[in-house]
Amino acid sequence: RLLRDDGSEVREATTAALKRLTKEHPEAIGPHLGAIVPSLADVSVGDRSKEARYYADRALRHALQIYDTPNGLEMAQAVLKAGGNAYAARTKLTDPVLRRLKALPDESDDEEGGGANWGTLGGDQDDDDQVVLGD
């Protein structure tokens, strides 16, 4: 509910707390991916608050265990496929979005207070047609 609160500061604090939880205790999030990932995806791709989007991006990266390695999307692919725990987020977490999450610099995760290099997960001209999930 807090991720859908009218106050941007509430959404920012909630996404920041979820980012920290998903980073430090990923085992605690696993059973709740179906509830958490769709809400984080909504914030990540559509919230008006840059800070809320910033923390939601990083929380998703940790919750779905997305890493910048050749097989860094295995967990995300498993939970976002049809019948997976977080399939409800599939419409928001498109292939270009997953590629951007994978490409987030690791050091950006340690910054407190958001960042000067927030960026967006919306489409841009550099997106290619590489298929990540194969839908």
Side-chain angles (χ1 to χ4, degrees):
R1 291 184 209 189
L2 294 176
L3 291 173
R4 291 182 174 89
D5 194 272
D6 289 338
S8 63
E9 64 280 348
V10 173
R11 293 188 311 275
E12 292 165 15
T14 303
T15 53
L18 284 171
K19 184 218 64 136
R20 187 170 182 170
L21 178 65
T22 57
K23 181 178 182 179
E24 295 178 10
H25 302 287
E27 71 285 352
I29 290 297
H32 308 286
L33 287 176
I36 294 172
V37 170
S39 295
L40 281 172
D42 288 342
V43 173
S44 177
V45 299
D47 201 279
R48 291 181 305 243
S49 166
K50 286 182 181 180
E51 283 202 19
R53 287 193 316 264
Y54 175 88
Y55 288 121
D57 292 348
R58 279 132 188 96
L60 282 168
R61 187 173 189 213
H62 291 297
L64 297 174
Q65 298 176 21
I66 297 173
Y67 305 111
D68 194 12
T69 62
N71 59 350
L73 290 169
E74 284 180 359
M75 169 80 165
Q77 291 168 333
V79 299
L80 292 172
K81 70 179 180 180
N85 291 347
Y87 181 70
R90 184 63 184 104
T91 57
K92 302 277 186 191
L93 298 178
T94 61
D95 290 345
V97 171
L98 291 173
R99 285 194 304 276
R100 282 196 188 87
L101 289 174
K102 183 179 177 184
L104 287 174
D106 290 332
E107 63 274 4
S108 74
D109 199 23
D110 296 327
E111 298 171 3
E112 286 302 321
N117 57 355
W118 276 317
T120 179
L121 290 181
D124 62 29
Q125 294 177 352
D126 295 331
D127 282 340
D128 57 19
D129 292 326
Q130 178 185 356
V131 176
V132 176
L133 292 174
D135 288 347

